[in-house]
Amino acid sequence: MCANMFGVLKSLFGKPFDGGKRMDHGAQQHQQHHPMEQQQQSYHQQHPAMMRLYEVQKEVQSLGSAVCTFSGLQHDRDYKRIERELTRLLLEVDKVDTEGKPELQGARKRAAQEVEGLLRYLEENATHPSRIAIEDLSNEARQLVDDRVVAPQRSGGVAEINDELVEALQEIILRLTQVKTEGRVPLRKARYRALTRMCAVQDVVEGRTQQQTLSLPLSGETHEAVNLINQVMVKVSVARSQLVALLMGLSGRDSCAHLSRILTEMQVELDALDVSGNAAIRNYRKQVVEEINGLLKHLDLEGEGEDTRRYDLGQNNSIREIEAVRAHVFHLREGVLRHCMMGDLSFRPKAELQSLLTHLDQVDTAKNPCIREARRRAVVEVQAIITFLDLREALARRQPGTEHPAHRAVWLVLGSLSDLQAQALGFDGKRVEKSYMMLEELLTKQLLALDAVDPQGDETTKMARKQAVKFAQNILNYLDMKTDGWEY
């Protein structure tokens, strides 16, 4: 959308207005033979009304960049500023006196339409359902952190930092990664900024849960420097809550710069201590310094998300690596399905698929939940082909004459599931399509068929039925993943 918008801006303002007319070759020849028309056009370009529109277009281009990257909401200060400036420009355009000349009227109309388009785009992104979903999840995380960490600390109590809080934050982060952005820069940027802050808070909280397992602080009788280190640890605990409040937008007075100064002063204070003669105290101080450094690294998030390479994961090297693997997987999947249609089981690229899993396991996700999710999905795609090949091979090795009757019924369902998985692997449509609904219905019927199998006390049949149920559910989950419209 932004690229298209700037393309329109360029076409409207990158050259002199021509009254809204595009000249073909014949018209150009006609113009070349009519100096009077050339003179008239030159006159319109120099007309005061056109010159005023040129001035307006420079401001529009400047605001266009701000509009296309604005990731906030309607009540934000920047939104109101941009909206106010665009409205002013619209009024300026409306004031331009065209003296009734069609060429000038056309130029003014196009300028007004461009400003109106920017206003619409600004509002659309600020009120987009995905933007609202991002804000709702941010508020949910904010409330969780306020209840468990910030509010207790402010009231003089103890922050409730535990594994349950970490898991609750992780669940919100996972839901946030699944918010669709439709490729819009403002939405991608908003999601990235929210994820960055939540992941930072999660990192701080996880660091605290690990610290709680250490035998700290030490007794003040151990060394004269211990009391001072213990006092710094108390300050670090307060700073931790302040940092979490800053990251989640729960601190109206503090700033990242102020907290950074406080933490740096603590480091200076610890560095001044003479603990060279005691290894235990030196190690104690080192741990406190490391915790301070862990907090400091999260204080540079004020401008986080401004760099396109960060929130546009299509440019991320890890995502490119994952996409390269997925392209290879697609090629192998097509080969597997093609050979299976011919009844040929000789094409079994399991070793190659296993090497792709190893490759994916080595992809650096940099603790980015979107990259983690992209990698997880690629892994599921590889595993789906491997399990399909394993079932095909098991069906080929089957010896029907030696089976328990109930076990035979499970094998029949597995045969049907193998055919249905082939369809699921090759499916490339949407959930609203009839073929998807039919495939989902057939898989559900196989689950019902398995539920109706009576093992008659046979343990092998019980195990086989349980595995078949899991297999059917995995196919449904795979199909659901392929059609959920997720994007990084």
Side-chain angles (χ1 to χ4, degrees):
M1 174 66 184
C2 284
N4 292 337
M5 186 171 291
F6 282 118
V8 174
L9 275 169
K10 187 175 179 181
S11 67
L12 286 175
F13 299 125
K15 58 183 181 179
F17 290 108
D18 61 2
K21 300 176 182 177
R22 287 184 177 272
M23 294 183 293
D24 58 19
H25 180 67
Q28 290 174 356
Q29 284 185 327
H30 180 71
Q31 188 184 53
Q32 289 172 0
H33 290 88
H34 291 79
M36 185 67 73
E37 290 185 11
Q38 283 185 331
Q39 186 177 359
Q40 186 179 13
Q41 177 135 358
S42 178
Y43 166 75
H44 286 143
Q45 292 172 6
Q46 301 300 321
H47 192 282
M50 191 66 75
M51 298 304 293
R52 179 61 189 131
L53 288 174
Y54 289 155
E55 293 173 5
V56 170
Q57 65 91 6
K58 292 178 182 178
E59 294 187 67
V60 172
Q61 283 183 316
S62 176
L63 284 171
S65 177
V67 169
C68 289
T69 57
F70 177 74
S71 60
L73 299 164
Q74 280 186 307
H75 58 71
D76 291 351
R77 182 183 300 174
D78 282 343
Y79 180 95
K80 294 183 182 299
R81 177 185 60 79
I82 297 171
E83 183 184 43
R84 186 168 55 250
E85 288 297 307
L86 288 171
T87 303
R88 179 183 62 78
L89 289 176
L90 197 57
L91 293 174
E92 289 291 327
V93 171
D94 191 55
K95 289 178 184 178
V96 173
D97 183 8
T98 63
E99 300 176 358
K101 292 180 171 60
E103 293 83 357
L104 298 178
Q105 288 175 339
R108 185 178 68 178
K109 180 180 179 180
R110 293 196 304 278
Q113 288 174 339
E114 188 60 33
V115 178
E116 289 168 351
L118 287 173
L119 278 166
R120 279 196 304 274
Y121 189 69
L122 180 69
E123 182 181 4
E124 284 173 6
N125 287 311
T127 60
H128 193 282
S130 291
R131 184 62 187 89
I132 303 303
I134 292 168
E135 190 64 16
D136 288 344
L137 288 168
S138 297
N139 288 334
E140 186 177 339
R142 193 174 294 119
Q143 187 63 53
L144 175 68
V145 170
D146 192 23
D147 292 343
R148 300 283 190 87
V149 182
V150 179
Q153 187 82 29
R154 283 178 178 164
S155 62
V158 179
E160 191 180 347
I161 298 178
N162 51 34
D163 290 338
E164 183 184 346
L165 176 59
V166 175
E167 291 170 5
L169 278 170
Q170 181 59 41
E171 193 268 337
I172 296 175
I173 288 170
L174 180 59
R175 285 156 58 197
L176 187 54
T177 63
Q178 295 168 349
V179 173
K180 298 175 180 59
T181 64
E182 299 177 3
R184 292 176 177 239
V185 168
L187 298 181
R188 287 205 311 268
K189 186 175 175 182
R191 186 180 67 174
Y192 175 79
R193 287 172 67 86
L195 279 170
T196 300
R197 281 156 174 73
M198 286 189 204
C199 289
V201 170
Q202 185 186 32
D203 189 50
V204 172
V205 170
E206 283 182 325
R208 179 54 183 162
T209 57
Q210 293 166 6
Q211 285 288 333
Q212 289 172 344
T213 63
L214 299 174
S215 56
L216 299 174
L218 297 179
S219 169
E221 299 176 359
T222 308
H223 192 281
E224 60 183 6
V226 169
N227 284 328
L228 182 55
I229 300 176
N230 288 344
Q231 290 172 18
V232 172
M233 278 200 66
V234 173
K235 295 177 184 177
V236 170
S237 179
V238 173
R240 185 186 304 106
S241 295
Q242 290 175 334
L243 173 60
V244 169
L246 278 167
L247 293 172
M248 298 307 296
L250 293 166
S251 178
R253 293 176 299 174
D254 297 329
S255 68
C256 286
H258 175 67
L259 185 56
S260 179
R261 284 194 298 271
I262 292 175
L263 289 168
T264 303
E265 288 171 2
M266 292 183 199
Q267 285 185 319
V268 172
E269 197 175 351
L270 290 171
D271 288 340
L273 291 176
D274 180 15
V275 295
S276 56
N278 192 306
I281 306 302
R282 191 165 60 247
N283 182 57
Y284 179 24
R285 182 180 66 176
K286 179 183 176 182
Q287 291 183 50
V288 178
V289 170
E290 286 177 351
E291 186 167 0
I292 293 173
N293 287 331
L295 299 180
L296 280 168
K297 73 179 182 180
H298 294 301
L299 284 170
D300 59 351
L301 295 176
E302 289 297 300
E304 193 68 41
E306 298 301 329
D307 185 350
T308 304
R309 287 172 299 177
R310 292 182 180 273
Y311 63 79
D312 183 4
L313 290 179
Q315 301 180 42
N316 182 278
N317 288 333
S318 294
I319 288 292
R320 288 174 175 171
E321 201 172 344
I322 293 169
E323 288 299 320
V325 171
R326 291 188 67 222
H328 195 171
V329 172
F330 176 82
H331 174 72
L332 293 176
R333 184 185 69 198
E334 294 301 299
V336 167
L337 293 176
R338 187 168 57 252
H339 280 80
C340 284
M341 283 181 64
M342 298 183 295
D344 180 12
L345 296 179
S346 62
F347 183 65
R348 290 183 51 77
K350 282 188 65 176
E352 197 169 354
L353 289 166
Q354 290 290 356
S355 70
L356 290 177
L357 285 177
T358 302
H359 188 167
L360 287 170
D361 188 54
Q362 295 170 348
V363 171
D364 180 18
T365 64
K367 292 188 176 181
N368 186 308
C370 286
I371 300 177
R372 281 204 301 262
E373 177 65 8
R375 184 177 67 175
R376 184 192 72 81
R377 286 169 171 263
V379 168
V380 171
E381 290 179 8
V382 177
Q383 290 174 336
I385 303 173
I386 292 175
T387 55
F388 173 72
L389 289 170
D390 287 344
L391 179 57
R392 285 278 178 170
E393 188 177 76
L395 287 166
R397 292 198 310 263
R398 177 191 171 205
Q399 297 178 343
T402 61
E403 296 166 352
H404 187 281
H407 198 174
R408 190 178 305 121
V410 175
W411 273 113
L412 290 174
V413 173
L414 284 171
S416 299
L417 287 174
S418 177
D419 294 335
L420 291 173
Q421 188 181 19
Q423 295 180 44
L425 287 170
F427 184 80
D428 193 27
K430 299 180 179 179
R431 294 183 184 182
V432 294
E433 295 179 15
K434 186 177 180 180
S435 55
Y436 172 87
M437 292 183 280
M438 186 177 297
L439 184 54
E440 189 178 43
E441 182 180 352
L442 289 172
L443 286 166
T444 304
K445 284 183 177 179
Q446 297 307 314
L447 280 170
L448 293 173
L450 287 170
D451 190 55
V453 172
D454 181 6
Q456 300 175 12
D458 183 65
E459 292 300 323
T460 304
T461 302
K462 286 182 181 179
M463 182 68 70
R465 187 179 69 169
K466 183 178 179 180
Q467 291 176 340
V469 168
K470 184 177 179 180
F471 188 79
Q473 289 173 336
N474 285 342
I475 299 174
L476 281 167
N477 292 337
Y478 172 77
L479 193 60
D480 184 62
M481 185 194 78
K482 286 187 73 174
T483 57
D484 65 4
W486 183 83
E487 58 189 354
Y488 47 75

